[in-house]
Amino acid sequence: MLKDTQKKTVMAYLIDIYSKRILIEFQQEKLMPSEAQDIFSDYVQFIKQTKLLFEYSYFIVNCHKAYTVYISYLQERKLYNDCLIICKELDSLLSTDDIERKAIVYHTIGTLYLALKFLRKAEEAFEVSLNLIDKIPSNRREEEELVKVQISLIDHLSCLKLERKDHINALDLLIRCYNLKRTCSGYDSENIATTLVAIARVYKILGRWDDAIEYFTRGADSFERLKGPNNIHTANAFIELAQIRAFQGIYKKAIDLTESALTIYINLNGKDHSSTLRLYTNLIFLSLKLNSNEMIRYYIELISDILNEKEDEISFVLFNEIGNLLRQHKRQQDAITFYQKSK
């Protein structure tokens, strides 16, 4: 009869061999799902027989290794429902104190529910994962590996919160995400700038104009440093800033910002692109709000020359829209001119 220490040595040796075998087996491109399931089931059954023989830490390391390999295999083949079953089985094997592994499992569960379009369940799983991570000691939580997990979680969770119009919680998450990205080498400046703009948009939705202006300006400056003056991200930030200034009734500033965006759009897309023409329309609207006859006439002549050359469906739509704008601001004769061109 083998003594317990001898049994442990033999079983540990067998587990090591079996672990290496399963890794090799799962790397085979032609491995069918049914074959993979058989290999995984055999291995897990074997591992579970050692549960009482070894300490939890040794048992779970080997068990977790097998589950992780199989979960990756199922995810690659988009077998999401099967993968969910395996993730929940792994969670049941984990000790309640094993919060880091549990957090990773719930992160995976969230991504699976997301892939299956079960958005509420995905949100719940991500929240469980984030709550578990928050219980991990700060020195470990601040290590890059876990920082990246947190960023992924928060990116997903903030999007789901915004989808449900839970703007307050989404904002808290985005600010936390921004602070994490600044400490993590795996995230470049463009990714950080994108988060700045996302924060600004939420502030804008909440009507917190000063905060929105600060973050849109920081986002615009970041993109300009990264990509040069002619980039769409900076232009779009200018448009957002112009909208806020218009809401505040600061129409001259809104016009200046829209003109800055227009210059970039012309350089990128040309003066007769549909998105560029929209900015001309915005400038007419802002000039009407400012009640500046000189500016109104200037922008009307500019867009008229471009639309007269195009003579396509977009031109007719814009002639009609501008006619409506002019009529609403009691400039009837100009409105009639544009309506006639829209026919």
Side-chain angles (χ1 to χ4, degrees):
M1 291 283 292
L2 291 173
K3 295 180 180 179
D4 283 349
T5 52
Q6 291 173 317
K7 283 182 182 178
K8 280 187 176 183
T9 303
V10 172
M11 291 302 287
Y13 176 73
L14 291 173
I15 287 169
D16 185 56
I17 291 175
Y18 216 147
S19 297
K20 289 174 181 174
R21 182 202 153 202
I22 195 171
L23 288 171
I24 293 168
E25 294 276 8
F26 274 79
Q27 285 170 356
Q28 294 181 36
E29 292 184 8
K30 294 181 179 179
L31 185 67
M32 299 299 291
S34 58
E35 295 173 312
Q37 185 177 9
D38 289 341
I39 294 168
F40 170 74
S41 298
D42 287 347
Y43 180 69
V44 169
Q45 196 62 35
F46 171 71
I47 287 287
K48 285 180 178 178
Q49 290 173 11
T50 71
K51 188 172 184 179
L52 298 176
L53 196 60
F54 295 101
E55 293 178 357
Y56 171 81
S57 58
Y58 184 85
F59 161 75
I60 206 62
V61 162
N62 288 286
C63 207
H64 186 266
K65 191 186 299 180
Y67 275 89
T68 302
V69 170
Y70 191 40
I71 286 166
S72 297
Y73 172 88
L74 293 171
Q75 280 183 301
E76 286 172 7
R77 285 150 185 80
K78 300 183 179 180
L79 299 169
Y80 300 131
N81 284 308
D82 293 337
C83 200
L84 269 173
I85 293 168
I86 300 301
C87 283
K88 290 175 181 178
E89 188 179 314
L90 173 58
D91 179 53
S92 70
L93 292 171
L94 295 170
S95 160
T96 53
D97 296 328
D98 200 347
I99 53 177
E100 188 173 323
R101 285 196 183 92
K102 276 185 169 288
I104 302 297
V105 170
Y106 274 97
H107 179 214
T108 305
I109 289 171
T111 59
L112 292 169
Y113 277 132
L114 205 56
L116 291 166
K117 310 297 184 188
F118 296 151
L119 302 187
R120 196 70 186 95
K121 287 187 175 183
E123 186 176 342
E124 289 168 359
F126 287 136
E127 283 180 334
V128 170
S129 182
L130 196 57
N131 288 336
L132 286 167
I133 285 175
D134 287 340
K135 294 177 183 177
I136 296 171
S138 60
N139 60 332
R140 169 62 183 146
R141 197 169 62 240
E142 291 167 4
E143 291 181 16
E144 190 160 301
E145 179 190 353
L146 269 184
V147 168
K148 288 181 178 179
V149 173
Q150 291 174 76
I151 290 169
S152 174
L153 273 170
I154 294 168
D155 272 338
H156 287 313
L157 200 47
S158 60
C159 289
L160 291 166
K161 296 287 185 190
L162 288 171
E163 186 81 16
R164 292 199 300 106
K165 304 192 185 305
D166 184 0
H167 298 117
I168 299 295
N169 284 316
L171 179 62
D172 290 342
L173 288 164
L174 285 167
I175 291 172
R176 177 173 172 178
C177 193
Y178 167 69
N179 290 326
L180 286 168
K181 285 179 178 179
R182 287 194 305 165
T183 68
C184 187
S185 63
Y187 289 84
D188 57 27
S189 299
E190 183 175 348
N191 196 297
I192 294 170
T194 301
T195 305
L196 281 171
V197 172
I199 292 168
R201 288 199 176 104
V202 180
Y203 276 132
K204 181 183 172 190
I205 291 167
L206 294 171
R208 292 174 57 176
W209 306 130
D210 290 343
D211 291 319
I213 288 167
E214 178 193 342
Y215 276 85
F216 275 128
T217 303
R218 287 169 64 185
D221 291 345
S222 295
F223 278 119
E224 188 165 348
R225 284 195 302 272
L226 289 165
K227 294 178 171 290
N230 289 320
N231 75 85
I232 197 70
H233 304 290
T234 297
N236 289 338
F238 286 153
I239 293 167
E240 298 272 17
L241 285 164
Q243 289 173 354
I244 293 171
R245 292 307 190 185
F247 291 146
Q248 294 176 317
I250 309 173
Y251 297 115
K252 183 63 177 71
K253 184 65 176 175
I255 287 170
D256 292 343
L257 287 161
T258 306
E259 284 186 331
S260 296
L262 177 66
T263 300
I264 296 172
Y265 266 79
I266 290 171
N267 289 335
L268 292 175
N269 302 324
K271 66 178 183 178
D272 60 350
H273 190 275
S274 58
S275 56
T276 308
L277 292 170
R278 284 289 173 192
L279 292 180
Y280 281 114
T281 307
N282 291 354
L283 286 165
I284 292 172
F285 169 76
L286 293 168
S287 301
L288 288 164
K289 286 292 186 182
L290 191 62
N291 200 24
S292 168
N293 288 325
E294 183 181 347
M295 282 187 171
I296 294 165
R297 184 58 48 202
Y298 173 71
Y299 291 123
I300 282 177
E301 288 176 1
L302 268 181
I303 198 167
S304 294
D305 289 343
I306 297 168
L307 294 179
N308 285 332
E309 290 177 11
K310 280 177 71 69
E311 292 188 350
D312 57 10
E313 187 177 345
I314 293 173
S315 302
F316 299 136
V317 169
L318 287 175
F319 274 131
N320 188 64
E321 287 184 12
I322 295 167
N324 289 338
L325 274 177
L326 294 165
R327 179 176 57 80
Q328 288 163 11
H329 288 80
K330 305 192 185 311
R331 301 182 73 93
Q332 308 300 344
Q333 193 55 52
D334 287 328
I336 290 168
T337 302
F338 274 84
Y339 283 140
Q340 287 173 339
K341 292 179 180 180
S342 70
K343 294 178 181 179

